[in-house]
Amino acid sequence: MALSSSHRVTMNDGNTIPVLGFGTYGPRTVPKSESEMATKLAIEVGFRHIDGAFFYGNEKEVGQAIQAKMADGTVTREDIFYTGKLWSTCHRPELVRPALEETLKNLQLDYLDLYIIHSPISLKPGKDMMPMDENHKVIGDSVDLRDTWEAMEKCKDAGLVKSIGVSNFNRRQLEMILNKTGLKYKPVCNQVECHPYLNQSKLLEFCKSNDIILVACSALGSQREPPWVDEKSPILLEDPFLGAIAKKHNRSPAQVALRYQIQRGVVVLAKSFTEKRIMENFQIFEFQLPPEDMKVIDGLNRNLRYLMPHQLQEHPNYPYNDEY
């Protein structure tokens, strides 16, 4: 992954993506207005890659932040790289473009830089983003993701999005798209949970071999939000080895965890609602980790997933049943 002076790398379609992005997901307990304030601050600090999703429920607020920073001259539209995500209730081909158009309307943008399938798990279409039956079980939908991908390709051809990719796909699901008859565009990326406790080394190797960029979300562990995360799971940023490396470089454990990803060729997302941490998270281009530190961090891997949506485990496309 050749890093340019503007901290961008080139994707397989020729477009470039900033290697550090600002994640806009917030727990349901966080007011939507905080997403707007945090995104404004992130842009002021220097973040140009903004990662959002329809499922997060805050596209309008994030869009308002981007519009405000364009209006005051901080950035132009061309400066911003925005990632949006197609939610699981919109996998049917005829629903893909309307979903993208709704996201564009929410953001007040004419196009997205990157649009990705949020998850390989298809759910029943409708207004309910997590449709449940009377037994509180998620209602799935039977959709061939290759058909969904064709609809994504059409959105790219229509100029509504510059690049298209996927998220939370395992190797088998990626291969299904890559081996699709009549494939027009390869996925430029696969966004997955990735951090020192889950370094995704095998999936990363597979993605690199197919010129697909791995994008790391939950790169600092995860906010401990039920029902997605086991509250008893260890806190990544309290790891003593990570702490020792951070102390040696006079950095925070979060900065070390983010820098680790960039040096191994991963695009990394950082999210925070705290001004101090947002500023710190952008300062990862000011230092480098030597090979011995990278090796120690590699050794922290324990294949620990923070994000385990148990209510989706019975779905045939649940991605985490495979080795990688």
Side-chain angles (χ1 to χ4, degrees), residues 129-141:
M129 286 200 279
M130 198 63 75
M132 301 274 189
D133 63 18
E134 63 275 8
N135 299 314
H136 299 289
K137 287 195 172 184
V138 169
I139 306 172
D141 195 24

Side-chain angles (χ1 to χ4, degrees), residues 48-303:
R48 296 296 177 259
H49 176 177
I50 309 297
D51 181 86
F54 182 78
F55 181 70
Y56 299 168
N58 59 5
E59 283 183 330
K60 289 183 179 177
E61 289 76 14
V62 171
Q64 286 165 4
I66 294 170
Q67 294 298 326
K69 291 292 101 187
M70 290 194 295
D72 71 10
T74 303
V75 289
T76 65
R77 175 63 188 93
E78 291 70 32
D79 294 328
I80 294 292
F81 184 100
Y82 187 89
T83 299
K85 302 185 186 79
L86 175 76
W87 182 237
S88 297
T89 54
C90 299
H91 282 183
R92 294 183 185 180
E94 67 273 16
L95 300 178
V96 172
R97 180 164 175 162
L100 172 54
E101 288 174 340
E102 184 173 357
T103 284
L104 289 170
K105 184 180 178 183
N106 287 340
L107 295 164
Q108 304 173 64
L109 296 176
D110 296 326
Y111 67 90
L112 298 187
D113 298 275
L114 175 61
Y115 197 45
I116 60 181
I117 299 175
H118 200 146
S119 165
I121 296 172
S122 304
L123 300 177
K124 177 188 174 185
K127 291 187 176 179
D128 191 348
M129 286 200 279
M130 198 63 75
M132 301 274 189
D133 63 18
E134 63 275 8
N135 299 314
H136 299 289
K137 287 195 172 184
V138 169
I139 306 172
D141 195 24
S142 181
V143 182
D144 189 328
L145 290 169
R146 290 168 292 194
D147 295 335
T148 308
W149 186 254
E150 280 188 21
M152 296 280 284
E153 291 178 324
K154 289 175 182 175
C155 289
K156 176 175 166 70
D157 284 337
L160 298 176
V161 58
K162 290 190 171 183
S163 300
I164 52 176
V166 298
S167 178
N168 297 304
F169 276 45
N170 61 29
R171 187 194 68 175
R172 175 176 51 83
Q173 292 160 340
L174 281 171
E175 286 178 331
M176 181 180 66
I177 300 294
L178 292 171
N179 297 330
K180 176 183 140 356
T181 303
L183 180 70
K184 192 169 186 180
Y185 304 115
K186 287 169 59 170
V188 297
C189 71
N190 184 23
Q191 183 181 132
V192 295
E193 177 182 350
C194 184
H195 45 74
Y197 284 172
L198 180 69
N199 68 21
Q200 299 277 19
S201 57
K202 289 183 178 178
L203 186 60
L204 175 58
E205 187 179 332
F206 174 81
C207 285
K208 283 183 175 181
S209 70
N210 286 280
D211 200 16
I212 295 170
I213 287 175
L214 193 81
V215 179
C217 62
S218 300
L220 303 177
S222 183
Q223 289 153 322
R224 313 180 82 69
E225 182 185 14
W228 308 105
V229 179
D230 180 358
E231 295 178 75
K232 297 175 184 175
S233 54
I235 298 173
L236 172 68
L237 297 183
E238 292 181 1
D239 184 273
F241 291 99
L242 210 56
I245 292 171
K247 188 175 181 181
K248 181 171 78 170
H249 294 282
N250 197 25
R251 298 287 169 175
S252 70
Q255 288 173 321
V256 170
L258 295 173
R259 181 73 208 183
Y260 165 71
Q261 299 290 11
I262 287 175
Q263 288 187 209
R264 62 200 291 257
V266 172
V267 168
V268 66
L269 305 176
K271 63 173 181 269
S272 176
F273 289 95
T274 308
E275 181 174 356
K276 179 176 180 285
R277 288 179 184 157
I278 291 172
M279 294 178 73
E280 279 185 356
N281 290 344
F282 193 73
Q283 292 166 354
I284 62 170
F285 301 107
E286 299 173 2
F287 72 105
Q288 274 199 317
L289 296 170
E292 60 268 24
D293 288 346
M294 293 291 290
K295 188 174 181 180
V296 169
I297 301 171
D298 278 336
L300 299 180
N301 182 60
R302 51 176 87 176
N303 294 321

